[in-house]
Amino acid sequence: MHTDVHGSRESRRIALTFDDGPDPDRTPALLDTLAALGAPATFFLLGRAVEKNPELAARIAREGHEIGNHTYNHRYLPLQRSSSVARELAEADATIARATGVVPTLARPPYGGRSPFTVRAFARAGKRVVLWDLNSFD
């Protein structure tokens, strides 16, 4: 369904991704650790969490991490209408852009849930859908 679960297998690299933030209790320590290791990551941010923690979202961007859209409310998208999916993405984009100056081009559907209809809604919003191939189940 036009989703990416991994990058090129030609190079020996991993991508660290974190969802559902920014979280005021966990994200600062995570950012400190990534900085100490010199490790970039991708943060798939929730619009509602960015709304509550705009300074933390700004720090993620300022420290050079990639930012992705994880929707505004973290709903299970295959049960939503395409117009609702589009609204979730647009609201998250607007909130993330206000806080960070970045409009994400990457997006990850909550729970990895997608259908052909939701994937088309992501494409219409100009998003590259990124999933994962290894989950920490945290």
Side-chain angles (χ1 to χ4, degrees), residues 22 45-55 57-58 67 69 71-72 87-104:
L45 302 179
L46 288 174
R48 69 176 188 222
V50 172
E51 193 90 42
K52 292 177 184 174
N53 305 285
E55 68 293 330
I67 294 176
N69 183 325
T71 72
Y72 191 87
R87 193 169 34 259
E88 285 277 337
L89 292 170
E91 288 177 12
D93 273 352
T95 304
I96 291 167
R98 277 193 304 276
T100 67
V102 174
V103 176

Side-chain angles (χ1 to χ4, degrees), residues 36-115:
L37 296 171
T42 302
F43 287 80
F44 288 94
L45 302 179
L46 288 174
R48 69 176 188 222
V50 172
E51 193 90 42
K52 292 177 184 174
N53 305 285
E55 68 293 330
L56 202 45
R59 179 180 170 194
I60 292 168
R62 190 172 53 252
E63 293 184 7
H65 300 287
E66 189 163 25
I67 294 176
N69 183 325
H70 198 44
T71 72
Y72 191 87
N73 288 302
H74 205 268
R75 292 188 174 109
Y76 184 67
L77 299 181
L79 302 178
Q80 305 298 314
R81 293 178 173 263
S82 294
S83 61
S84 178
V85 174
R87 193 169 34 259
E88 285 277 337
L89 292 170
E91 288 177 12
D93 273 352
T95 304
I96 291 167
R98 277 193 304 276
T100 67
V102 174
V103 176
T105 58
L106 302 179
R108 176 172 284 165
Y111 314 103
R114 64 212 185 285
S115 71

